[in-house]
Amino acid sequence: KETYLFKKGDNLFNYHRAKESAKKSKSLIIVEGQMDAIRVSSSGFENVVALMGTALTKEQIELIKKLHVKVLLNLDSDSAGEHADLLNGDLLIKANLPVQVVTLSDAKDPDEYILKFGPEAYKKNLNNAVDYFDFKMLVQKKGINPNNSEEIATYINSLLEDLNNVSDSI
């Protein structure tokens, strides 16, 4: 519960334990729930934190920036989790952080995935994380009728807008 002493937006669950491991591995896994963080951490991936809500705050992003690591978003596998990946990915990109997205199939979240398939299968998913912009393009492409030029133009304009936010000179 949030109080005047404890503000969810100022903290990431498990940050105090994850920060040294994140620096060593050069990556930080962000999951949605505290049970996900506990399962992932107890399975040998100590560089994991959980959101304290659905969207990262500027204070939480500042904590992440201090680590100088790549961020691996591994939120729930439902449409709400996909939406949260997009929301948080955009926030992290605007903060000039490298972001990849980890998708898990046949499970609703990392906790369930590790219970079903084990830590080695989870590690394979971490190693196959996709660049945030590739993930975003795939999500935005869903439901577009390839025979509708207006839908295609809207999709392309959205991609161009996202590319304008990239700080790469190319």
mmCIF file of all heavy atoms in Angstrom, residues 10-49:
data_model
loop_
_atom_site.group_PDB
_atom_site.id
_atom_site.type_symbol
_atom_site.label_atom_id
_atom_site.label_comp_id
_atom_site.label_asym_id
_atom_site.label_seq_id
_atom_site.Cartn_x
_atom_site.Cartn_y
_atom_site.Cartn_z
ATOM 1 N N ASP A 10 8.329 5.511 -7.084
ATOM 2 C CA ASP A 10 9.744 5.790 -6.817
ATOM 3 C C ASP A 10 10.589 4.518 -6.757
ATOM 4 O O ASP A 10 11.804 4.592 -6.618
ATOM 5 C CB ASP A 10 9.910 6.527 -5.481
ATOM 6 C CG ASP A 10 9.346 7.932 -5.517
ATOM 7 O OD1 ASP A 10 9.048 8.436 -6.617
ATOM 8 O OD2 ASP A 10 9.207 8.531 -4.438
ATOM 9 N N ASN A 11 9.937 3.356 -6.843
ATOM 10 C CA ASN A 11 10.620 2.085 -6.613
ATOM 11 C C ASN A 11 10.323 1.073 -7.709
ATOM 12 O O ASN A 11 9.309 1.151 -8.383
ATOM 13 C CB ASN A 11 10.161 1.484 -5.277
ATOM 14 C CG ASN A 11 10.470 2.376 -4.106
ATOM 15 O OD1 ASN A 11 11.610 2.496 -3.712
ATOM 16 N ND2 ASN A 11 9.444 3.026 -3.573
ATOM 17 N N LEU A 12 11.214 0.112 -7.831
ATOM 18 C CA LEU A 12 11.001 -1.080 -8.638
ATOM 19 C C LEU A 12 11.183 -2.274 -7.701
ATOM 20 O O LEU A 12 12.182 -2.340 -6.967
ATOM 21 C CB LEU A 12 12.013 -1.162 -9.779
ATOM 22 C CG LEU A 12 11.836 -0.144 -10.900
ATOM 23 C CD1 LEU A 12 13.105 -0.033 -11.724
ATOM 24 C CD2 LEU A 12 10.656 -0.531 -11.777
ATOM 25 N N PHE A 13 10.257 -3.193 -7.707
ATOM 26 C CA PHE A 13 10.347 -4.361 -6.835
ATOM 27 C C PHE A 13 11.614 -5.150 -7.146
ATOM 28 O O PHE A 13 11.892 -5.455 -8.309
ATOM 29 C CB PHE A 13 9.110 -5.254 -7.013
ATOM 30 C CG PHE A 13 9.123 -6.483 -6.162
ATOM 31 C CD1 PHE A 13 8.788 -6.411 -4.822
ATOM 32 C CD2 PHE A 13 9.491 -7.703 -6.698
ATOM 33 C CE1 PHE A 13 8.810 -7.548 -4.031
ATOM 34 C CE2 PHE A 13 9.516 -8.849 -5.914
ATOM 35 C CZ PHE A 13 9.175 -8.762 -4.577
ATOM 36 N N ASN A 14 12.403 -5.434 -6.157
ATOM 37 C CA ASN A 14 13.632 -6.229 -6.225
ATOM 38 C C ASN A 14 14.841 -5.453 -6.763
ATOM 39 O O ASN A 14 15.897 -6.029 -6.980
ATOM 40 C CB ASN A 14 13.421 -7.507 -7.060
ATOM 41 C CG ASN A 14 14.480 -8.552 -6.791
ATOM 42 O OD1 ASN A 14 14.810 -8.844 -5.652
ATOM 43 N ND2 ASN A 14 15.023 -9.115 -7.848
ATOM 44 N N TYR A 15 14.719 -4.159 -6.950
ATOM 45 C CA TYR A 15 15.822 -3.364 -7.500
ATOM 46 C C TYR A 15 17.082 -3.484 -6.640
ATOM 47 O O TYR A 15 18.188 -3.612 -7.175
ATOM 48 C CB TYR A 15 15.401 -1.895 -7.636
ATOM 49 C CG TYR A 15 16.469 -1.016 -8.236
ATOM 50 C CD1 TYR A 15 16.635 -0.940 -9.612
ATOM 51 C CD2 TYR A 15 17.313 -0.236 -7.435
ATOM 52 C CE1 TYR A 15 17.604 -0.139 -10.179
ATOM 53 C CE2 TYR A 15 18.287 0.576 -7.997
ATOM 54 C CZ TYR A 15 18.428 0.617 -9.368
ATOM 55 O OH TYR A 15 19.390 1.417 -9.916
ATOM 56 N N HIS A 16 16.913 -3.447 -5.340
ATOM 57 C CA HIS A 16 18.074 -3.486 -4.443
ATOM 58 C C HIS A 16 18.868 -4.779 -4.603
ATOM 59 O O HIS A 16 20.078 -4.797 -4.395
ATOM 60 C CB HIS A 16 17.637 -3.292 -2.987
ATOM 61 C CG HIS A 16 16.790 -4.388 -2.439
ATOM 62 N ND1 HIS A 16 15.492 -4.638 -2.874
ATOM 63 C CD2 HIS A 16 17.056 -5.315 -1.498
ATOM 64 C CE1 HIS A 16 15.005 -5.666 -2.211
ATOM 65 N NE2 HIS A 16 15.932 -6.093 -1.373
ATOM 66 N N ARG A 17 18.213 -5.856 -4.998
ATOM 67 C CA ARG A 17 18.912 -7.126 -5.208
ATOM 68 C C ARG A 17 19.412 -7.261 -6.648
ATOM 69 O O ARG A 17 20.420 -7.902 -6.899
ATOM 70 C CB ARG A 17 17.987 -8.300 -4.892
ATOM 71 C CG ARG A 17 17.693 -8.465 -3.434
ATOM 72 C CD ARG A 17 16.968 -9.786 -3.184
ATOM 73 N NE ARG A 17 16.560 -9.871 -1.800
ATOM 74 C CZ ARG A 17 15.320 -9.717 -1.381
ATOM 75 N NH1 ARG A 17 14.346 -9.462 -2.233
ATOM 76 N NH2 ARG A 17 15.028 -9.807 -0.102
ATOM 77 N N ALA A 18 18.673 -6.694 -7.582
ATOM 78 C CA ALA A 18 18.946 -6.902 -9.011
ATOM 79 C C ALA A 18 20.054 -6.026 -9.569
ATOM 80 O O ALA A 18 20.689 -6.389 -10.565
ATOM 81 C CB ALA A 18 17.664 -6.661 -9.805
ATOM 82 N N LYS A 19 20.317 -4.883 -8.954
ATOM 83 C CA LYS A 19 21.200 -3.909 -9.598
ATOM 84 C C LYS A 19 22.619 -4.419 -9.841
ATOM 85 O O LYS A 19 23.171 -4.178 -10.914
ATOM 86 C CB LYS A 19 21.190 -2.583 -8.847
ATOM 87 C CG LYS A 19 21.659 -2.613 -7.443
ATOM 88 C CD LYS A 19 21.484 -1.252 -6.796
ATOM 89 C CE LYS A 19 21.868 -1.300 -5.343
ATOM 90 N NZ LYS A 19 21.662 0.000 -4.706
ATOM 91 N N GLU A 20 23.226 -5.121 -8.909
ATOM 92 C CA GLU A 20 24.599 -5.609 -9.120
ATOM 93 C C GLU A 20 24.642 -6.695 -10.189
ATOM 94 O O GLU A 20 25.543 -6.704 -11.025
ATOM 95 C CB GLU A 20 25.203 -6.116 -7.798
ATOM 96 C CG GLU A 20 25.505 -5.010 -6.805
ATOM 97 C CD GLU A 20 26.343 -3.872 -7.390
ATOM 98 O OE1 GLU A 20 27.350 -4.141 -8.088
ATOM 99 O OE2 GLU A 20 25.976 -2.696 -7.161
ATOM 100 N N SER A 21 23.671 -7.590 -10.158
ATOM 101 C CA SER A 21 23.597 -8.633 -11.178
ATOM 102 C C SER A 21 23.348 -8.036 -12.554
ATOM 103 O O SER A 21 23.888 -8.506 -13.561
ATOM 104 C CB SER A 21 22.489 -9.630 -10.812
ATOM 105 O OG SER A 21 22.391 -10.623 -11.785
ATOM 106 N N ALA A 22 22.518 -7.000 -12.620
ATOM 107 C CA ALA A 22 22.236 -6.332 -13.890
ATOM 108 C C ALA A 22 23.509 -5.706 -14.456
ATOM 109 O O ALA A 22 23.773 -5.793 -15.660
ATOM 110 C CB ALA A 22 21.150 -5.277 -13.704
ATOM 111 N N LYS A 23 24.301 -5.083 -13.593
ATOM 112 C CA LYS A 23 25.553 -4.471 -14.054
ATOM 113 C C LYS A 23 26.500 -5.534 -14.607
ATOM 114 O O LYS A 23 27.156 -5.316 -15.634
ATOM 115 C CB LYS A 23 26.219 -3.709 -12.915
ATOM 116 C CG LYS A 23 25.512 -2.418 -12.558
ATOM 117 C CD LYS A 23 26.187 -1.750 -11.376
ATOM 118 C CE LYS A 23 25.427 -0.534 -10.892
ATOM 119 N NZ LYS A 23 26.047 0.066 -9.699
ATOM 120 N N LYS A 24 26.564 -6.690 -13.949
ATOM 121 C CA LYS A 24 27.449 -7.761 -14.404
ATOM 122 C C LYS A 24 26.985 -8.348 -15.729
ATOM 123 O O LYS A 24 27.783 -8.608 -16.618
ATOM 124 C CB LYS A 24 27.525 -8.870 -13.351
ATOM 125 C CG LYS A 24 28.355 -8.514 -12.149
ATOM 126 C CD LYS A 24 28.379 -9.653 -11.145
ATOM 127 C CE LYS A 24 29.011 -9.186 -9.846
ATOM 128 N NZ LYS A 24 28.849 -10.173 -8.774
ATOM 129 N N SER A 25 25.679 -8.576 -15.851
ATOM 130 C CA SER A 25 25.145 -9.189 -17.070
ATOM 131 C C SER A 25 24.868 -8.166 -18.164
ATOM 132 O O SER A 25 24.550 -8.538 -19.290
ATOM 133 C CB SER A 25 23.858 -9.956 -16.756
ATOM 134 O OG SER A 25 22.829 -9.063 -16.372
ATOM 135 N N LYS A 26 24.946 -6.887 -17.814
ATOM 136 C CA LYS A 26 24.684 -5.780 -18.732
ATOM 137 C C LYS A 26 23.250 -5.762 -19.254
ATOM 138 O O LYS A 26 22.967 -5.265 -20.343
ATOM 139 C CB LYS A 26 25.676 -5.775 -19.892
ATOM 140 C CG LYS A 26 27.117 -5.562 -19.454
ATOM 141 C CD LYS A 26 28.020 -5.445 -20.636
ATOM 142 C CE LYS A 26 29.475 -5.241 -20.377
ATOM 143 N NZ LYS A 26 30.030 -5.121 -19.117
ATOM 144 N N SER A 27 22.340 -6.340 -18.454
ATOM 145 C CA SER A 27 20.927 -6.317 -18.831
ATOM 146 C C SER A 27 20.046 -6.361 -17.583
ATOM 147 O O SER A 27 20.447 -6.885 -16.549
ATOM 148 C CB SER A 27 20.582 -7.495 -19.742
ATOM 149 O OG SER A 27 20.720 -8.716 -19.051
ATOM 150 N N LEU A 28 18.861 -5.778 -17.720
ATOM 151 C CA LEU A 28 17.877 -5.771 -16.648
ATOM 152 C C LEU A 28 16.562 -6.279 -17.211
ATOM 153 O O LEU A 28 16.052 -5.741 -18.194
ATOM 154 C CB LEU A 28 17.683 -4.354 -16.093
ATOM 155 C CG LEU A 28 16.667 -4.209 -14.961
ATOM 156 C CD1 LEU A 28 17.188 -4.862 -13.681
ATOM 157 C CD2 LEU A 28 16.337 -2.745 -14.717
ATOM 158 N N ILE A 29 16.035 -7.331 -16.606
ATOM 159 C CA ILE A 29 14.750 -7.898 -17.015
ATOM 160 C C ILE A 29 13.657 -7.177 -16.225
ATOM 161 O O ILE A 29 13.734 -7.093 -15.002
ATOM 162 C CB ILE A 29 14.686 -9.411 -16.715
ATOM 163 C CG1 ILE A 29 15.853 -10.154 -17.373
ATOM 164 C CG2 ILE A 29 13.334 -9.984 -17.147
ATOM 165 C CD1 ILE A 29 16.061 -11.569 -16.845
ATOM 166 N N ILE A 30 12.658 -6.683 -16.931
ATOM 167 C CA ILE A 30 11.523 -6.052 -16.272
ATOM 168 C C ILE A 30 10.290 -6.915 -16.505
ATOM 169 O O ILE A 30 9.917 -7.179 -17.653
ATOM 170 C CB ILE A 30 11.270 -4.619 -16.785
ATOM 171 C CG1 ILE A 30 12.481 -3.731 -16.503
ATOM 172 C CG2 ILE A 30 10.010 -4.038 -16.137
ATOM 173 C CD1 ILE A 30 12.332 -2.305 -17.003
ATOM 174 N N VAL A 31 9.684 -7.362 -15.404
ATOM 175 C CA VAL A 31 8.465 -8.154 -15.468
ATOM 176 C C VAL A 31 7.324 -7.355 -14.852
ATOM 177 O O VAL A 31 7.538 -6.325 -14.221
ATOM 178 C CB VAL A 31 8.649 -9.524 -14.771
ATOM 179 C CG1 VAL A 31 9.678 -10.366 -15.508
ATOM 180 C CG2 VAL A 31 9.032 -9.363 -13.311
ATOM 181 N N GLU A 32 6.115 -7.877 -15.006
ATOM 182 C CA GLU A 32 4.945 -7.128 -14.581
ATOM 183 C C GLU A 32 4.633 -7.306 -13.096
ATOM 184 O O GLU A 32 4.331 -6.353 -12.405
ATOM 185 C CB GLU A 32 3.741 -7.567 -15.427
ATOM 186 C CG GLU A 32 2.668 -6.541 -15.521
ATOM 187 C CD GLU A 32 1.697 -6.846 -16.646
ATOM 188 O OE1 GLU A 32 2.117 -7.259 -17.737
ATOM 189 O OE2 GLU A 32 0.494 -6.657 -16.408
ATOM 190 N N GLY A 33 4.706 -8.532 -12.618
ATOM 191 C CA GLY A 33 4.267 -8.796 -11.257
ATOM 192 C C GLY A 33 5.382 -9.215 -10.319
ATOM 193 O O GLY A 33 6.430 -9.713 -10.738
ATOM 194 N N GLN A 34 5.127 -9.039 -9.043
ATOM 195 C CA GLN A 34 6.118 -9.404 -8.032
ATOM 196 C C GLN A 34 6.378 -10.908 -8.013
ATOM 197 O O GLN A 34 7.520 -11.337 -7.842
ATOM 198 C CB GLN A 34 5.665 -8.907 -6.668
ATOM 199 C CG GLN A 34 5.601 -7.400 -6.605
ATOM 200 C CD GLN A 34 5.031 -6.865 -5.307
ATOM 201 O OE1 GLN A 34 4.656 -7.610 -4.410
ATOM 202 N NE2 GLN A 34 4.959 -5.547 -5.207
ATOM 203 N N MET A 35 5.335 -11.716 -8.216
ATOM 204 C CA MET A 35 5.539 -13.176 -8.255
ATOM 205 C C MET A 35 6.390 -13.570 -9.458
ATOM 206 O O MET A 35 7.181 -14.506 -9.375
ATOM 207 C CB MET A 35 4.200 -13.920 -8.271
ATOM 208 C CG MET A 35 3.449 -13.840 -6.956
ATOM 209 S SD MET A 35 4.427 -14.356 -5.508
ATOM 210 C CE MET A 35 4.798 -16.051 -5.889
ATOM 211 N N ASP A 36 6.225 -12.849 -10.566
ATOM 212 C CA ASP A 36 7.087 -13.103 -11.730
ATOM 213 C C ASP A 36 8.541 -12.836 -11.365
ATOM 214 O O ASP A 36 9.427 -13.635 -11.679
ATOM 215 C CB ASP A 36 6.689 -12.201 -12.909
ATOM 216 C CG ASP A 36 5.304 -12.501 -13.452
ATOM 217 O OD1 ASP A 36 4.929 -13.683 -13.489
ATOM 218 O OD2 ASP A 36 4.613 -11.549 -13.842
ATOM 219 N N ALA A 37 8.791 -11.725 -10.700
ATOM 220 C CA ALA A 37 10.164 -11.365 -10.308
ATOM 221 C C ALA A 37 10.743 -12.409 -9.352
ATOM 222 O O ALA A 37 11.909 -12.796 -9.479
ATOM 223 C CB ALA A 37 10.193 -9.983 -9.675
ATOM 224 N N ILE A 38 9.942 -12.872 -8.425
ATOM 225 C CA ILE A 38 10.409 -13.878 -7.463
ATOM 226 C C ILE A 38 10.756 -15.179 -8.181
ATOM 227 O O ILE A 38 11.811 -15.772 -7.947
ATOM 228 C CB ILE A 38 9.363 -14.099 -6.354
ATOM 229 C CG1 ILE A 38 9.266 -12.837 -5.478
ATOM 230 C CG2 ILE A 38 9.699 -15.329 -5.517
ATOM 231 C CD1 ILE A 38 8.068 -12.809 -4.543
ATOM 232 N N ARG A 39 9.879 -15.634 -9.088
ATOM 233 C CA ARG A 39 10.125 -16.885 -9.825
ATOM 234 C C ARG A 39 11.367 -16.751 -10.713
ATOM 235 O O ARG A 39 12.216 -17.630 -10.738
ATOM 236 C CB ARG A 39 8.912 -17.245 -10.682
ATOM 237 C CG ARG A 39 9.098 -18.470 -11.559
ATOM 238 C CD ARG A 39 9.089 -19.775 -10.813
ATOM 239 N NE ARG A 39 7.822 -19.876 -10.132
ATOM 240 C CZ ARG A 39 7.626 -20.594 -9.033
ATOM 241 N NH1 ARG A 39 8.606 -21.282 -8.515
ATOM 242 N NH2 ARG A 39 6.447 -20.630 -8.443
ATOM 243 N N VAL A 40 11.474 -15.654 -11.447
ATOM 244 C CA VAL A 40 12.602 -15.457 -12.353
ATOM 245 C C VAL A 40 13.904 -15.399 -11.555
ATOM 246 O O VAL A 40 14.888 -16.064 -11.894
ATOM 247 C CB VAL A 40 12.403 -14.186 -13.213
ATOM 248 C CG1 VAL A 40 13.662 -13.833 -13.992
ATOM 249 C CG2 VAL A 40 11.227 -14.369 -14.174
ATOM 250 N N SER A 41 13.905 -14.643 -10.475
ATOM 251 C CA SER A 41 15.103 -14.505 -9.646
ATOM 252 C C SER A 41 15.498 -15.836 -9.009
ATOM 253 O O SER A 41 16.672 -16.210 -9.017
ATOM 254 C CB SER A 41 14.872 -13.451 -8.564
ATOM 255 O OG SER A 41 16.031 -13.287 -7.786
ATOM 256 N N SER A 42 14.520 -16.557 -8.492
ATOM 257 C CA SER A 42 14.831 -17.838 -7.831
ATOM 258 C C SER A 42 15.227 -18.917 -8.829
ATOM 259 O O SER A 42 15.748 -19.957 -8.446
ATOM 260 C CB SER A 42 13.648 -18.310 -6.975
ATOM 261 O OG SER A 42 12.550 -18.623 -7.795
ATOM 262 N N SER A 43 15.020 -18.651 -10.125
ATOM 263 C CA SER A 43 15.434 -19.587 -11.173
ATOM 264 C C SER A 43 16.822 -19.271 -11.714
ATOM 265 O O SER A 43 17.251 -19.843 -12.713
ATOM 266 C CB SER A 43 14.414 -19.568 -12.318
ATOM 267 O OG SER A 43 13.162 -20.009 -11.859
ATOM 268 N N GLY A 44 17.490 -18.311 -11.080
ATOM 269 C CA GLY A 44 18.871 -18.021 -11.450
ATOM 270 C C GLY A 44 19.089 -16.738 -12.224
ATOM 271 O O GLY A 44 20.220 -16.425 -12.587
ATOM 272 N N PHE A 45 18.034 -15.994 -12.490
ATOM 273 C CA PHE A 45 18.153 -14.740 -13.233
ATOM 274 C C PHE A 45 17.940 -13.602 -12.239
ATOM 275 O O PHE A 45 16.828 -13.085 -12.091
ATOM 276 C CB PHE A 45 17.121 -14.687 -14.367
ATOM 277 C CG PHE A 45 17.154 -15.915 -15.239
ATOM 278 C CD1 PHE A 45 16.296 -16.975 -14.993
ATOM 279 C CD2 PHE A 45 18.059 -16.014 -16.282
ATOM 280 C CE1 PHE A 45 16.329 -18.115 -15.785
ATOM 281 C CE2 PHE A 45 18.096 -17.149 -17.077
ATOM 282 C CZ PHE A 45 17.228 -18.211 -16.824
ATOM 283 N N GLU A 46 18.999 -13.226 -11.572
ATOM 284 C CA GLU A 46 18.896 -12.271 -10.467
ATOM 285 C C GLU A 46 18.768 -10.829 -10.923
ATOM 286 O O GLU A 46 18.486 -9.948 -10.120
ATOM 287 C CB GLU A 46 20.097 -12.444 -9.537
ATOM 288 C CG GLU A 46 20.118 -13.820 -8.892
ATOM 289 C CD GLU A 46 21.378 -14.093 -8.105
ATOM 290 O OE1 GLU A 46 22.303 -13.245 -8.129
ATOM 291 O OE2 GLU A 46 21.448 -15.160 -7.472
ATOM 292 N N ASN A 47 18.934 -10.569 -12.210
ATOM 293 C CA ASN A 47 18.872 -9.215 -12.757
ATOM 294 C C ASN A 47 17.438 -8.851 -13.156
ATOM 295 O O ASN A 47 17.186 -8.321 -14.217
ATOM 296 C CB ASN A 47 19.805 -9.079 -13.960
ATOM 297 C CG ASN A 47 19.512 -10.098 -15.052
ATOM 298 O OD1 ASN A 47 19.109 -11.223 -14.783
ATOM 299 N ND2 ASN A 47 19.733 -9.713 -16.292
ATOM 300 N N VAL A 48 16.492 -9.109 -12.269
ATOM 301 C CA VAL A 48 15.077 -8.902 -12.584
ATOM 302 C C VAL A 48 14.413 -7.964 -11.582
ATOM 303 O O VAL A 48 14.694 -8.037 -10.387
ATOM 304 C CB VAL A 48 14.315 -10.243 -12.654
ATOM 305 C CG1 VAL A 48 14.326 -10.962 -11.306
ATOM 306 C CG2 VAL A 48 12.891 -10.050 -13.130
ATOM 307 N N VAL A 49 13.565 -7.090 -12.116
ATOM 308 C CA VAL A 49 12.747 -6.207 -11.286
ATOM 309 C C VAL A 49 11.310 -6.301 -11.781
ATOM 310 O O VAL A 49 11.054 -6.710 -12.917
ATOM 311 C CB VAL A 49 13.208 -4.732 -11.326
ATOM 312 C CG1 VAL A 49 14.608 -4.586 -10.752
ATOM 313 C CG2 VAL A 49 13.125 -4.156 -12.726
#
